[in-house]
Amino acid sequence: MKIRVLIADDNSFIREGMKIILNTFGEFEVLATVNDGQEAVDYCRTHEVDVALLDVRMPNMNGVEATRILTEETGTKPLILTTFDDDEYILDAIRYGAKGYLLKNNDPERIRDAIKSVHSGNNVLQDVVLDKLKSVMDGLPAAQGRRTETGANQEHGGAQQSGMQEAGGKGASATAGSASGRGTAGASAASAAQAKGDTSSDCPFDRSVFTERELEVMSLIAQGLSNKEISKELFISEGTTANYITSILNKTALSHRTQIAIYYLTGKVR
């Protein structure tokens, strides 16, 4: 059965272009394209939509508010597809239940993998979005964070973070996720150091609560790897990986992989 998709964007060029792109893959059925969040909510209330691609800045109702309503009232999984100029909405979008936060400048294949991953129950945060999120949560000026990201040009691929994991990880998918998960050498090196038990005062959370293997799993989640990829990396079964994730969630009172990644990077649970 094809994945039923709704596209909401006030830019007709973008939404119709996205419809054409998704229809070329064969895995999707684009049920409708709408102009704003209110239209997206109204449609999903009366139709069975698997994944809603939502822009953030739209008239009548933005994508963040639409995410909240869709999460509360429907079975539709919201996936934010937006630009860096919308970074101030990241926290609210995740808080309200967005299953992914992905940039529009990704390759079509990465967007495809993100949708498939979200549909499979994963969460997707692109690596550069995670970096942006970390900057926001650390209290850095938004403008400074934006200059940093722009200067570094992040095409890094992966829409990931849990979502693009299975179909991707850190934000993108077994495909997008992987590419992105291993995004920057600096970030990977830092994660690797922490996974090996680094007790540096820079660590944003109390590592003593977790086993060494749990810390390794958290590090790999933060890099955007899916359960399958984590299992291969650590030479354990996917069932064992899932058990470690459950243990981490129980110890932190978090509810999903995206929050684990945020917690690992920032030490914050909200």
Side-chain angles (χ1 to χ4, degrees):
M1 179 180 294
K2 293 185 177 182
I3 299 173
R4 296 163 296 192
V5 178
L6 171 76
I7 301 170
D9 198 302
D10 62 333
N11 186 316
S12 61
F13 178 79
I14 291 178
R15 66 174 181 264
E16 294 306 321
M18 185 62 63
K19 177 180 179 180
I20 293 173
I21 289 173
L22 294 184
N23 282 334
T24 64
F25 289 117
E27 297 117 314
F28 309 111
E29 178 184 359
V30 179
L31 299 178
T33 61
V34 298
N35 186 60
D36 59 51
Q38 185 62 63
E39 291 182 9
V41 168
D42 291 343
Y43 189 90
C44 291
R45 281 171 171 163
T46 57
H47 298 77
E48 292 188 7
V49 179
D50 297 316
V51 178
L53 292 183
L54 304 172
D55 186 23
V56 169
R57 300 177 187 270
M58 295 185 288
N60 300 321
M61 180 186 293
N62 65 37
V64 174
E65 180 62 16
T67 290
R68 182 186 66 78
I69 297 175
L70 290 177
T71 300
E72 293 177 352
E73 300 183 12
T74 76
T76 301
K77 297 175 179 177
L79 172 57
I80 300 293
L81 189 62
T82 189
T83 67
F84 267 124
D85 289 338
D86 300 321
D87 57 274
E88 66 267 31
Y89 293 100
I90 296 177
L91 285 175
D92 284 341
I94 294 173
R95 183 181 299 116
Y96 289 150
K99 299 303 180 183
Y101 205 103
L102 183 62
L103 300 184
K104 290 179 178 178
N105 66 352
N106 274 282
D107 293 335
E109 290 76 15
R110 287 175 179 155
I111 295 175
R112 172 201 63 192
D113 292 333
I115 296 172
K116 292 172 63 177
S117 185
V118 165
H119 179 253
S120 296
N122 296 304
N123 294 282
V124 177
L125 273 187
Q126 194 166 345
D127 54 351
V128 291
V129 173
L130 276 178
D131 292 341
K132 176 71 67 175
L133 179 60
K134 185 177 187 301
S135 296
V136 172
M137 297 184 75
D138 283 346
L140 295 179
Q144 178 180 341
R146 188 173 294 114
R147 284 196 301 273
T148 299
E149 294 297 352
T150 301
N153 193 353
Q154 57 278 327
E155 213 286 285
H156 283 341
Q160 294 173 331
Q161 193 323 275
S162 310
M164 276 207 167
Q165 289 179 351
E166 288 240 304
K170 207 174 181 183
S173 112
T175 58
S178 295
S180 201
R182 295 175 176 121
T184 64
S188 296
S191 296
Q194 289 183 330
K196 292 179 180 178
D198 179 11
T199 57
S200 165
S201 59
D202 292 335
C203 182
F205 61 91
D206 182 4
R207 301 172 64 82
S208 65
V209 176
F210 307 95
T211 66
E212 182 176 348
R213 183 46 62 90
E214 286 171 345
L215 291 171
E216 291 176 333
V217 171
M218 292 169 72
S219 171
L220 295 174
I221 287 176
Q223 292 178 55
L225 275 66
S226 66
N227 281 12
K228 179 180 292 186
E229 292 169 322
I230 291 173
S231 300
K232 290 181 179 179
E233 189 82 13
L234 300 180
F235 300 100
I236 58 179
S237 70
E238 289 187 54
T240 299
T241 296
N243 289 339
Y244 280 123
I245 293 174
T246 298
S247 176
I248 293 166
L249 292 174
N250 289 336
K251 289 181 178 181
T252 55
L254 300 175
S255 58
H256 54 71
R257 302 171 64 101
T258 300
Q259 292 180 340
I260 291 177
I262 295 170
Y263 177 74
Y264 185 82
L265 293 170
T266 70
K268 300 180 185 297
V269 296
R270 287 290 183 274

